[in-house]
Amino acid sequence: MTAQGTVKNGRLFVISGPSGCGKSTLCREILRRTEARLSISATTRPRSKNETDGVDYYFLSEKEFKDKIDADEFLEYAQVFENYYGTPAQPVMEKLKDGQTIILEIDVQGAIQVFSRFPETIGILVLPPNREILQQRISRRGRDDEDTIRKRLTKAEWEIEQAKSSKNFKYMVVNDDLDEAIEKMVQIIE
Ligand code: ADP
Ligand code: 5GP
């Protein structure tokens, strides 16, 4: 997927924001309350015990992932915390052609690739109320050791700066009170 294109009849949203700010929690509710559908990403990161292959992610080996890069099967991909993450292009393009609303929940590097390929993409940046709360949320999720938590916090600052300088992130939603944030996201998407 190298050429610039259009999303035809469907609408394409990108939801980005630092790891732990609440993107998955918000997306779960958006899927319940709207007709939007979430693209399932591929990743080389190990599956954690509460995740299901083909539901949360397609969990691939590095070789499998790189073969898909070579076969040009990703709409975008990026290396995040030493692992690869990418959006399989075909299902997204088919659903957009079919007029569906698609959400990509991806990091800012990936979002910028999607914006340059599909300029009409609508970006929503989800922000934590502050760094301390972000740290608590990452810890409470119970998935990461101390070192990974530190890396996620360092990346968060860089990611927020990058996103704020992109004009495609038209909306910013601070995920403080969960119900209010859900309401805002649903309004934007509808
Ligand atoms: P992300 O997908 O951005 O990495 P998650 O959705 O996994 O983040 O959320 C990280 C943690 O924060 C989870 O334990 C989740 O339940 C919690 N969380 C999400 N939104 C809120 C909120 N508004 N208030 C309090 N806790 C929240
Ligand atoms: P996690 O390991 O916490 O599930 O995800 C780590 C980061 O990777 C998050 O910022 C998430 O948005 C991002 N991510 C998930 N899927 C994709 C994808 O397909 N492409 C890109 N570029 N980032 C992704």
Side-chain angles (χ1 to χ4, degrees):
M1 294 299 296
T2 45
Q4 197 183 61
T6 68
V7 298
K8 296 265 163 59
N9 301 320
R11 287 183 312 147
L12 184 58
F13 287 91
V14 163
I15 297 181
S16 293
S19 180
C21 69
K23 299 180 299 294
S24 313
T25 309
L26 292 168
C27 283
R28 221 170 12 248
E29 280 304 310
I30 292 166
L31 295 188
R32 249 176 24 90
R33 297 189 195 197
T34 71
E35 293 198 331
R37 288 294 152 254
L38 193 62
S39 154
I40 302 172
S41 296
T43 183
T44 60
R45 137 162 114 58
R47 185 174 66 81
S48 61
K49 56 183 183 311
N50 52 351
E51 290 178 316
T52 308
D53 187 31
V55 175
D56 298 290
Y57 282 106
Y58 296 107
F59 293 96
L60 304 181
S61 67
E62 199 161 313
K63 159 102 177 62
E64 287 169 325
F65 197 101
K66 286 188 171 162
D67 285 348
K68 286 183 188 296
I69 297 175
D70 292 342
D72 205 14
E73 288 185 24
F74 291 118
L75 199 66
E76 60 71 36
Y77 70 91
Q79 210 173 349
V80 188
F81 310 120
E82 290 130 41
N83 292 300
Y84 286 99
Y85 293 80
T87 304
Q90 197 186 352
V92 173
M93 298 317 294
E94 279 174 6
K95 288 181 180 124
L96 287 171
K97 263 190 215 143
D98 194 37
Q100 297 186 36
T101 298
I102 301 299
I103 296 174
L104 311 182
E105 194 229 292
I106 60 178
D107 89 320
V108 172
Q109 304 170 74
I112 290 168
Q113 293 174 48
V114 176
F115 296 153
S116 70
R117 190 154 298 157
F118 301 111
E120 63 268 58
T121 306
I122 300 158
I124 307 175
L125 180 65
V126 180
L127 295 169
N130 57 51
R131 187 188 153 101
E132 206 184 347
I133 292 181
L134 181 62
Q135 182 165 5
Q136 285 166 10
R137 286 186 190 166
I138 297 173
S139 306
R140 208 178 313 133
R141 196 169 52 177
R143 225 172 54 192
D144 305 304
D145 57 30
E146 286 298 314
D147 188 43
T148 311
I149 292 174
R150 251 193 315 275
K151 281 188 195 151
R152 288 190 189 274
L153 286 170
T154 305
K155 181 168 189 258
E157 280 160 21
W158 176 86
E159 209 169 16
I160 292 168
E161 255 175 55
Q162 291 285 307
K164 283 187 171 168
S165 60
S166 161
K167 67 176 175 16
N168 281 75
F169 279 108
K170 283 201 191 107
Y171 301 97
M172 293 193 198
V173 174
V174 178
N175 180 19
D176 189 355
D177 178 83
L178 185 59
D179 289 334
E180 273 178 30
I182 292 167
E183 203 51 53
K184 265 191 214 148
M185 300 283 281
V186 167
Q187 267 177 26
I188 294 165
I189 286 163
E190 284 186 336

